[in-house]
Amino acid sequence: MAEVATATEEGRWRDVDRLLSRNGNLVSALFDPSPTLREDIGEYVKVLVVGAGGLGCELLKDLALSGFKNIDVIDMDTIEVSNLNRQFLFRLQDVGKSKAEVAAKRVMERVSGVNIVPHFGRIEDKELDFYSNFQIIVLGLDSIEARSYINSVACGFLEYDADDNPLLETVKPMVDGGTEGFKGHARVILPGTTPCFECNIWLFPPQVKFPLCTLAETPRTPAHCIEYAHLIKWDEMHSGKAFDADNPDHMQWVYDEALKRAELFGIAGVTYSLTQGVVKNIIPAIASTNAIVSATCTLEALKIISGCSKTLSNYMTYNGQEGTHIKVTDFLREKDCLVCGPGTLVELESSVTLAEFIEQLEKHPDVLMSKASVTHRGNNLYMQAPPVLEEMTRSNLSLTLYDLLGKVAKDTVHVSGMVEKNGKRTSSLRKLRVSFKGVSTGPTDMDT
Amino acid sequence: MDGGEEELTAHETALYDRQIRVWGVDAQKRLSKAHVLVSGLNGATVEFCKNIVLAGVGSVTLMDDRLVSEEVLGANFLISLDEYANSNKSVAELCAESLRSFNPMVGVSFLSGELSQMDGQFFDKFDVVVVCSFSQKDKILINETCRKRQKRIAFYTIDCRDSCGEIFTDLQNYTYMQKKGDERIERQLNYPSLEEAVLIPWKDLPRKVTKLFFAMRVLEKFELLEGRKPGETSLADLPSISKLRKDLCEAQGLKESHLADSLLERLLAAGKMEHPAVCAILGGILGQEVIKAISGKGDPLKNFFYFDAADGKGIIEDITVPDAVTA
C-alpha cells in the first residue's frame, strides 16, 4: 500500500508549501525553494489590498489562505445591501459599518495567524511612507481615478540608474484586478519593466459623456432622458439644493421627470432601475467573476513575491458570457510614460529659485500642474498644506533648486498638485527629472 | 423549468440588484427555483457553493460524510480548524452551517450517504449535480444515472490537484437562445456522457488537446488499477504510472512525449492537495457555468475546462464523439 504524501508543515498549509518547496522549470532565477519559504513570506512580507468590496473580500480570503500573514486593507466605503450578493464577508446586520474593518475581522476569525490591519479612509489621505512599507500592492478598485492615483504612488518610488535602467530595489510591484458582470481582467505591473496603468490607459473605452445639446434638445435614448432630469432639470427646479443619489425622494423625482421627458419624445425604456444605474453609474456585478479575477491576482502576488513560477505576462482578460474566454496579452511599456518612465525632463538654469520652479510647472507643457508641493528623496522642499508644514518650508522658496538638491547636475523630484484632466481638476503626483543647464556632469567642484 | 408567476420580493430585488443588472429578472427567478446537489466538499466545490449561494439559487444540498481533520480542511475557508477540530459533525454539516449565513434565502442542507449508491429517484429532486474527488468509475455511474432520468439533470465534475484542475460538463441535449449581434437565434448543443467522452480513442482527438486531459485520464486509470481513492498517490508511484502511461499511449496511438514526466510527477506528489487560489478560479468558472445552465442565458462550456497556474491559461476542450450529428 503506497504512502500518502506527507506534509512538511502542519496540514493546513501543505497545499501552499507544494508550490514553494520544490524546484521546477518555470521558476524565476531568484527562486529559493525551501520548506521555510512560506514562513518567511508570512514573517517578512507585507501586502496592501486596496479596496474591501467585491474584489477585496475575495482577495483577503485568497491571500490569507495562500500564506500571507501581514495584510493591510484600505477602503473608504460602508456596507450596503446591494453589496451582499458578492461581498461574502458581510452580513445583513453589517450594513452601515466600514467594509475594511468588517472584512479584516471576518478573515482573521477564519484563518489563524493572519494579521489584517483595516484602514477606513481615502487612499489619497495616506502618506507616501505608508505605501512604501509594502512589498506588493494588490488592487480591487472600481474606478479609473483611484487606479491612476495608486499607480502614480507606486511608480513614484521607481528610480533609474544612469543608463535609464530601473533600479530593482525601488520597484514596487502591483497586481490590478477589475470586473464588470461576466467580464474581468487581471494584470501585473512591475514599474519600469511592464506597462504601468498610465502606459495603457488607452485600453479603456471612452467614458460615456453625453453632449449637453443632446440632453437639452435631441434625446434619443432612455439614458439621455434620465441625465437631462438629473443634470439639467434638477438645478432648474431645486436651485441651491444639491442632488443626493442616496436619497430615495430625489431619485424618485429624477425618475418621474425622466419618464415625462421620455413620453414627450416617444422614447421607451425608462425604468426606476435604469435611472438608479445611470445616475449612480452602477456597475453590474456577480460573485463568480470576482472570485476568478481575485484568485488570479493572488496567484500572481504569490509568484512575484516568491519567484515560484513564471508571472503572468502581463494582462489577462476574462469573458464568461459568450462562452468562456481567457486571454493573456503581453503589452509593451510606453518608453516615455509620464508616470513610470525615468521622469519628465525639466531643464532649468541653476539660478532658478524653488518659488520660480513651482510657478514654471504651471506652464510647462508636459506638467501643467498648479499649486505644486515639491519633495526630494523623501524630504519636503515646499508643502502647500497643511499650514504647519507650509510655514516650516516657506523659507525654501527663495533658495535655488540647485542648492536645495545638493548642487548636482541632475536629480529626481516628486511634485504633487492639481492638474486638469477632461475638464475636471484632479490631484496628481508626478516624477520629474530635473537637469541643470551648464552644469558639468563630471567630477564636481564643490563650492565652499 | 419556467420562470414562474411570482415576482421577486422587495428584499430580493434590493439584495440581487447588481446581478439582476447582469442577467435580468427572469434569470434571477429561474435561479431561485433551482436545486443543486454537491458531493465531495474540497476547496473547489466550497468556492463553487459560495458563488451559487450568493447568487440566490433555490437550494444547495451537500454530501460529504468525512469528519473534520487538517487534511480535509486544506483550502476550505468555510470551516475554521480551531473551532471544529474535535467536532463529530461531518464536513457537509459544518459547511452547510457556514454557508447558510452567506444568504439566508437559500435552502442549504446536508445529507448522509454515498452518492454512488443512490437510486435514480433520488436525483429527481435536483436540477444540477456536481461531484468532486470521485473515482472515474463512480463519476461515470452517477452521470449515467442522471442521464436516464426523465427530467434533464445538468451534471458536472470538478477536480483540483496541485495548482491545476479540470471541469467536465454534461448538459445532454441543450437548447438556448444565443445572441448574435442584434438578433437572437436558437442553438442546440449535444453533449456526450462522461463515459462516451473518455472512451474516444486518443488518436481520434484533435492533436492540440491539452496534456492535462491525458494526465487526468492516466491518473484515474492508475487509481482504478491500484485500488486507490482519488488523490491517494505519491512520487513513489512514478515508475508504475510511467509504465501505465507507456501502455496507454501505445494502445491509444498517442506519442508518449506528449505526457511529460514532470507533469505526472507534479500530480502524483500533490496527491489530494489543492492550491486555494486555483480552487477559487475553478469554483468561479463552475459557478458561472451552472448559473448559465439554470438561467438559459449565455453560451455554456462544452465540455472540458482546464486551468493551470503555471501558465495562467484556461483551456476549453470539446471532447465529442466524432460522428455525432449536431444541430
Side-chain angles (χ1 to χ4, degrees), chain A residues 411-425:
Chain A
D411 206 349
T412 305
V413 297
H414 288 94
V415 293
S416 67
M418 301 301 279
V419 298
E420 205 168 281
K421 238 180 176 171
N422 299 329
K424 256 188 5 188
R425 283 170 68 71

Side-chain angles (χ1 to χ4, degrees), chain B residues 86-325:
Chain B
N86 298 313
S87 170
N88 48 17
K89 292 185 180 175
S90 70
V91 169
E93 182 168 359
L94 291 172
C95 287
E97 282 171 10
S98 184
L99 273 175
R100 259 174 224 130
S101 61
F102 282 33
N103 187 349
M105 291 192 288
V106 176
V108 183
S109 62
F110 72 98
L111 288 173
S112 275
E114 278 298 323
L115 191 59
S116 52
Q117 289 165 6
M118 299 298 183
D119 66 18
Q121 253 193 331
F122 170 81
F123 290 90
D124 284 337
K125 297 198 279 279
F126 306 104
D127 304 296
V128 175
V129 170
V130 174
V131 301
C132 176
S133 293
F134 273 62
S135 68
Q136 188 189 75
K137 176 159 157 285
D138 284 341
K139 284 189 213 178
I140 285 176
L141 176 68
I142 296 166
N143 182 215
E144 289 302 319
T145 310
C146 288
R147 296 195 90 171
K148 291 201 181 90
R149 305 314 299 166
Q150 281 273 42
K151 87 190 247 204
R152 188 172 54 87
I153 301 173
F155 174 83
Y156 302 86
T157 73
I158 181 171
D159 289 285
C160 179
R161 296 195 195 222
D162 192 70
S163 53
C164 63
E166 172 189 79
I167 292 174
F168 167 78
T169 71
D170 176 12
L171 300 181
Q172 300 173 41
N173 296 321
Y174 183 72
T175 311
Y176 70 106
M177 299 303 286
Q178 185 188 56
K179 250 172 69 167
K180 258 206 146 62
D182 279 335
E183 290 180 348
R184 296 170 71 77
I185 56 172
E186 191 182 84
R187 285 215 63 197
Q188 192 190 36
L189 297 172
N190 293 315
Y191 287 73
S193 71
L194 179 59
E195 183 165 38
E196 285 168 342
V198 301
L199 282 180
I200 298 172
W202 292 357
K203 65 177 176 7
D204 292 342
L205 292 173
R207 288 190 140 257
K208 282 188 303 163
V209 167
T210 174
K211 41 186 77 75
L212 287 169
F213 170 81
F214 300 110
M216 288 296 291
R217 305 288 82 77
V218 171
L219 268 172
E220 283 173 339
K221 187 84 184 190
F222 177 76
E223 285 163 357
L224 173 70
L225 292 174
E226 301 286 314
R228 308 274 182 88
K229 293 214 188 85
E232 233 174 34
T233 60
S234 76
L235 265 180
D237 295 320
L238 188 59
S240 330
I241 213 175
S242 290
K243 175 152 193 323
L244 177 62
R245 170 191 55 191
K246 185 166 180 297
D247 294 341
L248 281 174
C249 285
E250 262 176 37
Q252 295 271 14
L254 183 79
K255 270 209 212 123
E256 232 192 301
S257 57
H258 193 60
L259 196 43
D261 263 0
S262 55
L263 178 57
L264 286 177
E265 274 175 33
R266 180 182 158 199
L267 295 175
L268 280 176
K272 293 186 199 151
M273 296 191 271
E274 337 160 82
H275 193 280
V278 178
C279 292
I281 290 172
L282 292 169
I285 297 274
L286 184 59
Q288 307 278 49
E289 288 306 312
V290 167
I291 288 169
K292 282 193 262 185
I294 294 172
S295 66
K297 286 185 99 162
D299 301 87
L301 189 154
K302 181 167 181 276
N303 55 349
F304 281 90
F305 173 83
Y306 293 92
F307 177 79
D308 192 345
D311 56 18
K313 288 203 186 131
I315 298 176
I316 298 176
E317 298 288 6
D318 189 355
I319 312 282
T320 310
V321 181
D323 48 356
V325 174

